[in-house]
Amino acid sequence: MGEENWMKKVVFFTDLNKIKEAYEFFNIDSFKNEKFPLKIHMGEVKNKYFPKPKIIKPFIDELLNIESKPFFYDTTVAYPGLRHYKKGYQKVAKIHGYHKFGLDIVIDDKGKIIKINNYDFEVGETLVKFDNIFAYSHVKGHIAVGFGGAIKNFGMGGVTKETKIFMHNASKPEIQKDKCTYCGVCAEVCPFNAITVKNNNWEISNRKCFGCGVCVDNCSSGGLLNQTENLQYLLACSALACVKDKNVLYVNDVNRISRGCDCDPCSGPIICPDIGFLVSDDPVAIDKASFDLVQDIKPDIFSKENNVDPIKQINYGEDIGLGTTNFQLIEL
Ligand code: SF4
Ligand code: SF4
């Protein structure tokens, strides 16, 4: 068998009539007659760019055509708002029109601990129960990790709010006074104005800091370390906790590519023209392919917009065995 045949496949298309053809490159028959979670972010209130029902309908229709039984699935979020609670998230899903499909909508608030590389991740209890999972991920920028795709859909979206909080707290900065030059870069890049650097003094407001780790990434003198671990590393580990040993089919929607994520009510502006859709059975391959397609049109746009290099989550994902960047892009 030639080397090419060992590579993971990522299928790319812009024509929505090609969905069936794209699914058929993968093990779609294993979803036939099966019930399974369709992992998707159903959008924050007032967000404009999340995957709306009319966008995902053709993808759902092709699943229903093979008599599979998907249900929408997500987890409650750590920050205050309707989606912090199961009932509140159900309400948001209804406002956003997800109930019109007639499929169940399951929101988890509890999970089961799965250990990856010595860290505990509490994976949504429903996700743990199913061997088959379908993931629909909207590709966009992200304030903390620069890029959100399949890895982020599971790494943050597949775990309980306790694990989400753990990951953010782990990424908070710790000052290394002997290395800090008081240049002020960390204060400039902090999206929440949590750091003040003045008169050779470095201060942080713990109330304002939400643990994105962007300050640490931008300190070139070693003046800051993450309190426990890099957020993008934890994201990759957490995604692995969610999908390890599962049969997952991933769709990446590389359109409406906004600066911020679907959790943000003001996630604009759009930073790259619409590109199309990708399908794969590998989260690292599909995210790298999505990233590369954007990179071809708007080089470094994700890192420029959010002051953080998003390729780390993809590289960490490959390092820990979540997937591979060695893929073949098939255009339909
Ligand atoms: S970026 Fe680093 S060196 Fe500069 S003030 Fe912040 S911690 Fe100190
Ligand atoms: S972790 Fe993020 S929010 Fe906290 S101080 Fe650093 S840049 Fe600001």
Side-chain angles (χ1 to χ4, degrees):
M1 192 178 276
E3 193 184 323
E4 199 173 79
N5 293 327
W6 290 102
M7 292 168 98
K8 284 282 182 178
K9 291 181 177 67
V10 179
V11 178
F12 169 62
F13 57 98
T14 52
D15 178 353
L16 287 171
N17 294 315
K18 304 276 186 179
I19 296 172
K20 182 168 182 273
E21 212 179 312
Y23 284 175
E24 284 172 351
F25 273 87
F26 303 97
N27 192 14
I28 191 67
D29 279 349
S30 60
F31 289 83
K32 207 169 182 168
N33 299 316
E34 289 289 320
K35 189 175 177 187
F36 56 89
L38 191 160
K39 173 68 186 74
I40 188 165
H41 187 316
M42 286 171 263
E44 184 52 80
V45 177
K46 293 194 178 153
N47 178 279
K48 288 202 284 193
Y49 304 119
F50 72 91
K52 300 200 174 57
K54 68 174 184 211
I55 296 168
I56 61 169
K57 187 172 182 309
F59 293 88
I60 309 274
D61 285 348
E62 281 305 334
L63 290 174
L64 298 177
N65 282 345
I66 58 161
E67 289 169 23
S68 70
K69 298 164 192 149
F71 59 89
F72 294 117
Y73 176 79
D74 207 0
T75 57
T76 52
V77 299
Y79 49 84
L82 279 175
R83 291 170 60 246
H84 189 75
Y85 307 100
K86 285 172 77 159
K87 272 192 179 167
Y89 199 152
Q90 290 280 0
K91 201 170 167 184
V92 174
K94 195 167 178 188
I95 293 167
H96 287 169
Y98 279 84
H99 64 295
K100 289 180 190 155
F101 288 97
L103 305 177
D104 287 342
I105 299 173
V106 176
I107 309 296
D108 268 345
D109 195 46
K110 302 249 176 303
K112 273 187 81 171
I113 298 278
I114 294 183
K115 201 181 259 307
I116 299 286
N117 297 346
N118 294 321
Y119 293 111
D120 287 344
F121 299 94
E122 205 178 15
V123 175
E125 59 189 354
T126 307
L127 217 46
V128 174
K129 279 187 212 152
F130 285 85
D131 291 331
N132 289 321
I133 303 171
F134 187 95
Y136 189 101
S137 311
H138 174 217
V139 168
K140 67 272 163 187
H142 191 272
I143 198 168
V145 292
F147 169 95
I151 297 173
K152 171 97 186 11
N153 192 7
F154 283 100
M156 201 54 83
V159 292
T160 62
K161 53 169 91 89
E162 286 74 18
T163 291
K164 292 174 171 101
I165 291 167
F166 155 71
M167 288 197 279
H168 279 293
N169 283 342
S171 322
K172 286 186 173 182
E174 196 169 75
I175 187 75
Q176 312 297 303
K177 285 199 169 150
D178 54 328
K179 297 205 171 133
C180 178
T181 60
Y182 304 100
C183 66
V185 168
C186 53
E188 280 165 32
V189 297
C190 174
F192 296 93
N193 297 320
I195 297 175
T196 311
V197 182
K198 222 183 341 191
N199 303 330
N200 284 357
N201 187 42
W202 185 95
E203 266 179 29
I204 186 163
S205 160
N206 284 319
R207 186 180 56 80
K208 289 184 182 172
C209 174
F210 100 122
C212 63
V214 169
C215 52
V216 181
D217 268 32
N218 282 274
C219 174
S220 55
S221 68
L224 292 177
L225 294 178
N226 295 115
Q227 286 184 14
T228 310
E229 189 55 86
N230 180 283
L231 183 58
Q232 295 197 55
Y233 178 74
L234 290 174
L235 200 65
C237 291
S238 176
L240 182 58
C242 294
V243 302
K244 197 168 189 279
D245 302 326
K246 309 261 184 192
N247 174 41
V248 188
L249 189 60
Y250 301 86
V251 170
N252 272 14
D253 171 356
V254 197
N255 303 295
R256 311 172 315 286
I257 306 160
S258 48
R259 174 169 61 201
C261 75
D262 298 345
C263 295
D264 189 342
C266 310
S267 62
I270 294 294
I271 58 174
C272 178
D274 286 358
I275 289 179
F277 298 91
L278 301 174
V279 180
S280 182
D281 56 1
D282 184 306
V284 173
I286 198 170
D287 274 4
K288 180 65 164 62
S290 306
F291 181 86
D292 289 349
L293 287 166
V294 174
Q295 184 76 358
D296 286 347
I297 301 176
K298 290 271 182 179
D300 302 328
I301 191 70
F302 289 119
S303 45
K304 279 181 198 157
E305 290 289 341
N306 286 298
N307 290 314
V308 61
D309 182 3
I311 202 72
K312 285 183 183 176
Q313 59 188 280
I314 292 168
N315 291 339
Y316 284 136
E318 183 157 47
D319 290 348
I320 64 167
L322 175 63
T324 180
T325 58
N326 189 17
F327 62 86
Q328 181 192 0
L329 189 68
I330 299 165
E331 288 194 36
L332 297 181

